Amino acid sequence: MAELNLKQIIDRLNAEFTGDIRKLVFWYDDKAEFAEDIDSVELENAKVYRLEPDNQFMTKRFLEREDTSTNYLIYAPFPKPDVKDNHLEDTMLYSKRFFADRASLLSVDLGIEERYKPIIEKHIKFFANKERTQRFYDLEIENFNEENITLGLLSAICKTRTCSLEEVLRVMLTEGTAEDNKFLSEMEKYDLQSSFWKLCEQQFGYTDAAPTLEKLVVTMFVTATARQLGSGVPQDWKRYVSYKSGNIIAFLDSLMNSVLYSERFDELSHQVSDSLNTSKIFAEMQPEELTEVNTFLIADRTLVKWMVERLTAEDIGVRLDGIGIPGLCEKRMKMHFGSRTKKIYQVLLSAYHLLKAANYSCPDGFRQIVKQYREKDYQIDREYRKFYLRFDKLNFDEVEREGLRTLVENIYTNEYLAKVMPKWNEGLQEPAAFHELPLQREFYERYVRNTKERMVVIISDAMRYEVGEELFRSMLDDPKCSAKLEAQLSVLPSYTRLGMAALLPHQTLTMMDDYRVLADDVLCNDLAGREKVLRQHQENGICVRFDEIKGLKKNELRDIFTGKQLVYVYHNQIDARGDKATTEDEVFVACEEAICEIMELIRKISANANTYRFLVTSDHGFIYKRDKLSESEKIGTISDKKAFINRRFIVAHEAVTEEGVKSLSMGKILDNDDTKVVSFPVSDNVFKVAGGGQNFVHGGSSPQEMLVPVLDIKMERGHMETRPAQISLVSIVQKITNLITTLDFIQTDAVSDTVKRITYKMYFISEDNEKISNENTYIADSRDTDAQKRIFRMRFTFKNKQYDKNQQYYLVVYDEATGTESFRHPVIMDLAFADDYGFTF
């Protein structure tokens, strides 16, 4: 870094006078800064000659006639005279000038041509601080011209690591405010603010008599939005539209897609949206004009309001530019604000699919009912669950809640359940009904008994078929997992005590007159009883609760599994939440948590306990409806005090003869000579029972309660699902102006048990795949949880060749091991060396 001192000047002068050829060097010290020091200057191969304003002619005679062999430094403690007044002008043509001012030293040290020295002089105050000057040096600008010098000064003020207007503006907007920007104040201090605005005009087309950052940001957002709107921009916005839309869109895209700066983009978007009153403007537009708008969240709110209105009107066939509501929801979820709007679009998607059930038709015959349910009807129950799961998390003002919710509830209850359940219960009376599906009481014989390898059976209380199907799909996403999904018909009544007994190995299944349930004459309503039954058939069997093993360490888990052939794990997330009046409305949340917990348990056991075969099933399913039951949905009080009475079933020695109730023999269900009878509503009605919740029920006869999943899962040995650590570009750069360019990247995730170390190769290429830079290697192995500490720099050196500014070039990043391209970033190569890029101040 250049510093102004006498020793440095003497060293530079001695360097000028090396060699055998006579040299004359003129030093015009404009401010006579060294007039007092010049007499003490001693040069190794030259003499010092002091020039005065009135001895120029005599000096010319002396240098050209009297002493023509000695090297001389001609020192003048005044500015160089004009040509017409300078008698030594022709002598200077074959001589050399020396400069000892700070601007000159900097120019020489950096390799800046003489013609650009006035720019350094203009901003010399900037270089008074060593730290600022060092930041300018650290930018390593390769080819100096007026634009690059100015950009370098701006970059040093903003402490960017690359010489780029985009990076300067990014720092100004992300590390400062638009209203009172500290960097803009610094630019004013060093006479650079007008240069900054000139660059903004050149790069972004922003012109204003009184420019401000707030108006520049508005210009950017309006210009980008103008390209996305289906029609022209509003009249009031036209004054903000720039002709440099491509550069603006590229800059905003870099900001919005950045791991580090996307939140700041959202803040700026919100500020601009408020200032422009986009809420009112978009509300007056046609919805099809907004489908591509990605700059303002209010566009999503406007589209959501429109879709809610169409769905509430049951207009599910409506389209915008050929896209239906599902397509529009999927499209908007993938756009920038999708992370914030995803839940509401998912609600609308579920509502859309449920509205299609308004035309639901249930087939006749038990076999066909089961077939249709497993192929598509289960999706209605799933969408109803997903609807409320997300609906409950929305803010009240995000949708016109009640109208849409009421419509969904009515269709699910009155168009779907009201049709499928009577048909189901009619079909269940068919002589062959209990032969159409595997029966729950045959579970052990069918799936477990003949297994040679160690097996874990996970029984999730109240996991109905559609929840099991989602678990099945989720497990299939793991490439090292193979899974098969079947369904079995639960016992009736479909409740925990009987269902859990049916899933155990047994010769006999008995419901006593006091309604206790025995398997092989063993009471099995608790863990100890179930394990006793299990060990009668598998001596190396064990029963455990999920909550007892979920937090165990590797060695503790192995201790439980060592020497065991069969492990029954009892998981109780859904039923535990749904069976309580205070938490029954959380049952759909419990379903999501159950899926995640079971997946995690399977992976944990397979990784730590040398067990790779799993069966997941359930004791029963459930019905959940959000609206409270009306009195018309309740079947009259039963007077038989000896009966086992539940909301969805009654077990007694006599069948209930109320209208809307059917019955089956318990002997038929349990395959014994039991003379008791189970009675159940043919609809979603319930028996009047005191206490408890009303929305979550089970025990009766419906596909939701009696169809339970059986997942057969095999995990590959030693596998733990992992993904490679990702990297992304932090520096906002669309144009390369130096042959040597340094860029910042970030490793987006810390390396962990599930995020693996990976090596990347990165370099620049042309459109025709010519490599135009060196190749860098980065090993993404940082485990630091602080994102700022995962930022790293890469230096690229480009080929010294002619580049076409109209051609596209790319930064490409590859996985070294697979050769797969991870991402590419487009840039313009602007490396002209001989002109000023048309940049003038």
Side-chain angles (χ1 to χ4, degrees):
M1 181 171 63
E3 290 187 37
L4 197 61
N5 60 68
L6 189 60
K7 182 182 182 303
Q8 183 181 3
I9 291 172
I10 293 173
D11 289 343
R12 287 181 178 276
L13 287 169
N14 282 326
E16 294 287 350
F17 292 106
T18 57
D20 298 328
I21 300 174
R22 187 206 187 204
K23 295 178 181 177
L24 301 177
V25 176
F26 285 82
W27 177 7
Y28 286 96
D29 184 5
D30 294 6
K31 298 179 181 179
E33 293 178 75
F34 294 91
E36 295 180 3
D37 300 313
I38 196 66
D39 292 336
S40 64
V41 172
E42 292 184 7
L43 302 177
E44 295 174 357
N45 193 27
K47 294 181 179 179
V48 177
Y49 183 96
R50 192 177 184 109
L51 180 67
E52 300 294 343
D54 58 357
N55 71 347
Q56 294 184 56
F57 185 77
M58 183 178 67
T59 300
K60 182 178 178 69
R61 184 174 179 277
F62 174 77
L63 294 175
E64 294 184 352
R65 294 286 188 272
E66 296 179 15
D67 187 351
T68 59
S69 60
T70 304
N71 293 331
Y72 280 100
L73 168 68
I74 301 96
Y75 174 79
F78 52 84
K80 176 181 173 295
D82 290 338
V83 174
K84 60 185 178 61
D85 298 323
N86 189 6
H87 297 293
L88 294 166
E89 192 70 36
D90 56 345
T91 306
M92 292 182 67
L93 292 176
Y94 63 84
S95 304
K96 190 171 182 179
R97 281 192 67 181
F98 177 78
F99 300 92
D101 58 281
R102 186 179 298 278
S104 299
L105 290 175
L106 285 163
S107 298
V108 170
D109 203 40
L110 288 162
I112 297 174
E113 294 180 34
E114 174 71 16
R115 57 178 170 153
Y116 299 126
K117 177 186 167 186
I119 305 170
I120 301 295
E121 291 174 329
K122 179 181 178 182
H123 306 293
I124 197 64
K125 184 179 176 182
F126 172 91
F127 295 99
N129 177 275
K130 292 181 181 180
E131 183 184 345
R132 276 196 309 273
T133 307
Q134 185 63 56
R135 290 203 299 266
F136 185 85
Y137 270 70
D138 289 344
L139 291 168
E140 298 179 327
I141 299 172
E142 178 99 0
N143 303 292
F144 286 99
N145 55 46
E146 189 170 356
E147 179 180 350
N148 281 352
I149 293 170
T150 305
L151 263 179
L153 295 170
L154 294 171
S155 298
I157 285 173
C158 294
K159 301 180 181 180
T160 70
R161 297 178 180 179
T162 56
C163 185
S164 157
L165 179 63
E166 290 90 348
E167 274 291 273
V168 167
L169 186 57
R170 189 271 302 166
V171 169
M172 294 175 73
L173 294 178
T174 59
E175 298 182 21
T177 63
E179 298 79 16
D180 185 20
N181 193 270
K182 60 182 180 181
F183 299 105
L184 208 55
S185 299
E186 283 286 293
M187 292 175 189
E188 181 67 22
K189 188 187 298 183
Y190 303 114
D191 196 20
L192 284 162
Q193 198 173 108
S194 60
S195 300
F196 169 73
W197 292 121
K198 191 72 176 179
L199 281 166
C200 287
E201 178 181 354
Q202 177 184 304
Q203 183 77 2
F204 301 117
Y206 171 66
T207 58
D208 198 298
T212 66
L213 269 182
E214 298 100 303
K215 287 188 279 186
L216 171 59
V217 172
V218 171
T219 295
M220 287 184 150
F221 274 89
V222 169
T223 301
T225 305
R227 290 282 294 270
Q228 298 166 357
L229 285 170
S231 61
V233 297
Q235 186 64 37
D236 290 346
W237 287 13
K238 288 185 178 179
R239 60 195 170 105
Y240 294 114
V241 178
S242 165
Y243 63 95
K244 294 270 190 176
S245 59
N247 290 348
I248 286 174
I249 290 170
F251 176 79
L252 288 182
D253 280 352
S254 297
L255 206 62
M256 78 159 64
N257 296 323
S258 168
V259 175
L260 297 177
Y261 313 126
S262 117
E263 286 186 11
R264 180 57 178 154
F265 172 90
D266 293 353
E267 291 172 3
L268 293 170
S269 170
H270 179 71
Q271 292 168 10
V272 174
S273 181
D274 281 351
S275 68
L276 295 175
N277 197 11
T278 55
S279 178
K280 180 178 182 296
I281 291 172
F282 285 177
E284 294 171 352
M285 291 183 175
Q286 295 299 313
E288 53 265 25
E289 297 179 70
L290 303 175
T291 58
E292 299 294 334
V293 174
N294 199 27
T295 45
F296 297 117
L297 180 61
I298 196 66
D300 288 285
R301 291 177 181 168
T302 306
L303 289 169
V304 164
K305 186 175 185 297
W306 176 82
M307 282 189 274
V308 169
E309 290 172 352
R310 300 325 313 144
L311 289 171
T312 305
E314 298 187 56
D315 185 8
I316 60 175
V318 68
R319 304 178 78 81
L320 290 180
D321 289 335
I323 304 176
I325 287 178
L328 185 57
C329 289
E330 295 288 352
K331 177 187 176 107
R332 297 301 301 185
M333 281 192 288
K334 294 174 183 176
M335 297 176 80
H336 172 67
F337 290 105
S339 60
R340 295 174 61 177
T341 60
K342 184 176 182 179
K343 286 187 176 63
I344 194 165
Y345 283 121
Q346 288 174 329
V347 164
L348 298 182
L349 275 172
S350 294
Y352 171 86
H353 291 300
L354 285 163
L355 288 177
K356 291 176 67 177
N359 299 316
Y360 175 74
S361 175
C362 183
D364 295 319
F366 194 69
R367 175 181 293 181
Q368 291 304 314
I369 294 169
V370 170
K371 182 175 183 294
Q372 180 169 299
Y373 187 86
R374 292 193 63 197
E375 289 177 352
K376 62 180 183 179
D377 286 357
Y378 76 89
Q379 297 176 39
I380 300 174
D381 291 309
R382 182 190 65 193
E383 295 299 344
Y384 181 79
R385 172 169 61 87
K386 296 290 187 181
F387 175 83
Y388 275 113
L389 181 67
R390 280 113 185 196
F391 183 86
D392 290 342
K393 297 177 182 178
L394 297 178
N395 293 330
F396 187 84
D397 60 350
E398 284 188 297
V399 289
E400 297 174 2
R401 291 168 58 99
E402 203 51 37
L404 184 61
R405 191 203 69 79
T406 300
L407 181 60
V408 164
E409 189 72 20
N410 287 339
I411 289 175
Y412 181 74
T413 301
N414 300 323
E415 300 294 334
Y416 172 56
L417 292 182
K419 291 178 180 178
V420 71
M421 291 180 68
K423 288 286 189 76
W424 169 274
N425 283 302
E426 184 179 332
L428 196 63
Q429 303 292 325
E430 296 173 7
F434 282 78
H435 300 286
E436 299 293 352
L437 278 173
L439 300 179
Q440 189 178 47
R441 56 183 168 82
E442 300 168 350
F443 170 78
Y444 182 85
E445 289 294 321
R446 178 182 291 271
Y447 297 105
V448 182
R449 181 177 181 177
N450 296 320
T451 301
K452 298 295 188 287
E453 60 185 314
R454 179 159 59 204
M455 175 183 282
V456 175
V457 176
I458 302 173
I459 303 172
S460 185
D461 202 329
M463 177 179 279
R464 65 186 185 182
Y465 181 82
E466 60 91 5
V467 179
E469 199 276 344
E470 184 172 328
L471 172 61
F472 167 68
R473 296 292 173 190
S474 299
M475 292 301 301
L476 286 183
D477 287 340
D478 186 337
K480 300 298 179 67
C481 167
S482 61
K484 182 170 64 174
L485 173 66
E486 294 185 7
Q488 61 185 9
L489 190 66
S490 79
V491 288
L492 187 64
S494 52
Y495 76 115
T496 299
R497 194 185 305 168
L498 188 57
M500 291 296 185
L503 292 169
L504 289 167
H506 60 268
Q507 297 296 323
T508 62
L509 198 59
T510 308
M511 178 181 281
M512 305 295 287
D513 287 343
D514 60 1
Y515 307 111
R516 292 180 302 158
V517 177
L518 309 180
D520 292 348
D521 298 324
V522 176
L523 181 64
C524 51
N525 61 343
D526 60 16
L527 196 69
R530 292 168 191 168
E531 186 169 295
K532 182 176 180 181
V533 174
L534 182 64
R535 286 189 169 178
Q536 288 179 353
H537 295 263
Q538 173 53 262
E539 62 180 356
N540 293 322
I542 186 175
C543 294
V544 296
R545 293 186 181 88
F546 168 82
D547 289 342
E548 294 172 351
I549 64 171
K550 66 178 181 180
L552 294 183
K553 297 178 181 178
K554 182 176 181 178
N555 291 338
E556 296 170 331
L557 197 63
R558 283 189 171 180
D559 288 343
I560 290 177
F561 279 72
T562 300
K564 303 299 186 294
Q565 182 66 18
L566 179 61
V567 180
Y568 268 49
V569 178
Y570 292 93
H571 175 265
N572 189 11
Q573 177 69 268
I574 301 170
D575 199 65
R577 202 91 64 93
D579 255 348
K580 294 184 179 68
T582 55
T583 58
E584 63 176 346
D585 285 348
E586 300 173 14
V587 67
F588 289 158
V589 176
C591 291
E592 295 287 306
E593 293 175 0
I595 291 171
C596 294
E597 287 178 350
I598 292 171
M599 290 175 64
E600 185 179 344
L601 180 67
I602 289 172
R603 288 174 179 143
K604 182 175 182 178
I605 292 174
S606 63
N608 298 315
N610 298 322
T611 304
Y612 310 101
R613 181 78 182 277
F614 301 85
L615 288 175
V616 182
T617 189
S618 175
D619 52 347
H620 58 79
F622 66 89
I623 293 175
Y624 173 89
K625 296 186 301 176
R626 176 55 60 90
D627 284 354
K628 300 299 181 183
L629 292 173
S630 64
E631 285 302 311
S632 64
E633 296 173 289
K634 297 177 183 179
I635 301 170
T637 305
I638 306 301
S639 59
D640 186 352
K641 294 183 179 180
K642 294 182 179 181
F644 179 14
I645 304 174
N646 184 280
R647 278 189 168 77
R648 289 286 296 159
F649 67 87
I650 294 175
V651 180
H653 289 282
E654 298 293 336
V656 175
T657 57
E658 295 276 345
E659 184 178 350
V661 177
K662 287 189 177 293
S663 302
L664 282 173
S665 162
M666 287 301 301
K668 180 178 181 180
I669 293 168
L670 301 179
D671 191 26
N672 60 23
D673 56 2
D674 194 335
T675 59
K676 291 189 288 295
V677 176
V678 57
S679 300
F680 45 88
V682 298
S683 66
D684 61 347
N685 290 349
V686 300
F687 295 110
K688 283 188 178 181
V689 176
Q694 297 184 30
N695 293 3
F696 174 89
V697 294
H698 64 85
S701 176
S702 68
Q704 293 77 15
E705 295 164 288
M706 292 187 68
L707 278 182
V708 293
V710 179
L711 281 77
D712 190 343
I713 296 169
K714 294 180 181 179
M715 298 295 292
E716 185 174 296
R717 293 175 183 268
H719 172 69
M720 178 182 287
E721 187 178 16
T722 62
R723 58 183 175 82
Q726 301 294 309
I727 64 172
S728 62
L729 185 63
V730 172
S731 300
I732 296 179
V733 57
Q734 277 83 47
K735 183 168 68 174
I736 301 295
T737 58
N738 287 314
L739 283 175
I740 300 175
T741 297
T742 302
L743 300 176
D744 284 354
F745 297 81
I746 185 171
Q747 181 181 315
T748 55
D749 301 292
V751 170
S752 64
D753 290 341
T754 56
V755 178
K756 66 180 182 179
R757 172 184 185 272
I758 184 173
T759 301
Y760 288 106
K761 296 286 189 184
M762 56 188 80
Y763 49 87
F764 284 81
I765 60 171
S766 64
E767 282 183 342
D768 54 3
N769 290 319
E770 177 194 358
K771 188 183 288 188
I772 60 171
S773 77
N774 65 306
E775 182 179 283
N776 282 310
T777 299
Y778 177 72
I779 300 174
D781 60 356
S782 174
R783 293 181 174 270
D784 205 306
T785 55
D786 184 350
Q788 291 291 336
K789 294 180 180 177
R790 296 198 302 272
I791 294 176
F792 60 95
R793 304 185 74 182
M794 287 292 170
R795 181 170 173 166
F796 297 90
T797 302
F798 294 90
K799 290 182 178 179
N800 196 341
K801 55 172 282 185
Q802 198 69 33
Y803 293 96
D804 185 351
K805 288 194 287 186
N806 297 315
Q807 186 181 354
Q808 194 74 71
Y809 299 86
Y810 301 94
L811 164 68
V812 289
V813 178
Y814 290 94
D815 178 339
E816 183 183 56
T818 65
T820 305
E821 182 178 311
S822 295
F823 72 86
R824 63 172 52 201
H825 176 77
V827 295
I828 295 169
M829 299 297 294
D830 195 354
L831 289 170
F833 305 114
D835 60 25
D836 290 345
Y837 300 79
F839 185 78
T840 57
F841 291 94

